[in-house]
Amino acid sequence: MNVHAPALAKAHQFDEQTSAFAGAVIDDLSQHPKRLSPKYFYDVRGSELFEQITVLPEYYPTRTELGILRDRGGAIADLIPKGAALVEFGAGATTKVRLLLERCEFGAYVPVDISGDFLSAQADALRKDFPSLAVYPLAADFTAPFALPVDIADMPKVGFFPGSTLGNFEPHEACAFLRTARGILGDGAQLIIGVDLEKNERVLYDAYNDAAGVTARFNLNVLVRINRELGGNFDISAFMHRSIYNRERYRIEMHLISKKAQNVRVLGRNFTFRPGESIHTESSYKYSLDRFTALARGSGWAVRESWTDPAKMFSVHALVASD
Ligand code: AVI
């Protein structure tokens, strides 16, 4: 929790999640340059828009990762002990995990996500399709340590973190996440992780500046969310979406650019914008295989196997916990 959150919670009678959001927004918009955390993109509308992004012709990561999981499912299954527990960090659409559940003989599945309602709907659907699988949904912030269900204590553990969500973490946060996951899963655990790769800048640019404008709506939606949940008065039409590739830092950056000089009020505070001033809303880091291997190694994991698509757009890795 951030510095403003407790006072805001009291003054506005927010629940825990909204007060954390409120505190983060006040802190982040007070920074120079201004920023907002990408984790706040995913309200109901933001999650819908993200699902639309995943099937855009320009957005290659989702279909490429699915292709790798489909084509290399047999090789992945060979690494996984029978009866292992699969722990998924963040639970989105179940398409990817289904590919693993169909190929491997898991004893249990533990989807972990901050949104409890979403989790139970997903869990019900999976129980129906995999009747012999024990499903233990766990509502938790997966970037912080949490305890696994006691029922899976004796099973070998396999973590699953698809989608290159790791790329949305700053490198020090990516390292901290991998260390935390290592601690949660324990000695002898494995982690199956999807990581987007460096590539032609035009391909990257197009993936985050789609012709249909879905990514722009996804980016701007965080301002809609601030207006609705925190009583902000952002004029959405006075901001525009911009994504650029930052070559020095190997990352796509998404920004919301103020089209004019303006003042915005959120929770009784005033934020002044210059024309052209940016709110940095997301970084999406792209890795080389070597840089990812080094990151994993420095975070308590060894790379056991790596798979890519033929064009080397995306990678999936099997990591094993090291000492
Ligand atoms: C969720 N995450 C991996 C996506 C990405 O590509 O960084 C989020 C996204 N932002 C814009 N388009 C997709």
Side-chain angles (χ1 to χ4, degrees), residues 42 50 53 59 163-165 168 208 215 218 254 282 284 286:
Y42 301 93
F50 180 66
I53 287 174
Y59 193 76
S164 201
T165 303
N168 296 132
Y208 293 82
T215 308
F218 172 72
M254 290 215 306
E282 185 183 69
S284 192
K286 309 302 170 189

Side-chain angles (χ1 to χ4, degrees), residues 220 223 227 232-240 260 262-264:
L220 286 160
L223 304 185
N227 284 354
N233 70 347
F234 275 101
D235 171 3
I236 311 302
S237 67
F239 286 84
M240 64 179 196
K260 58 180 190 187
Q262 55 182 319
N263 290 307
V264 176

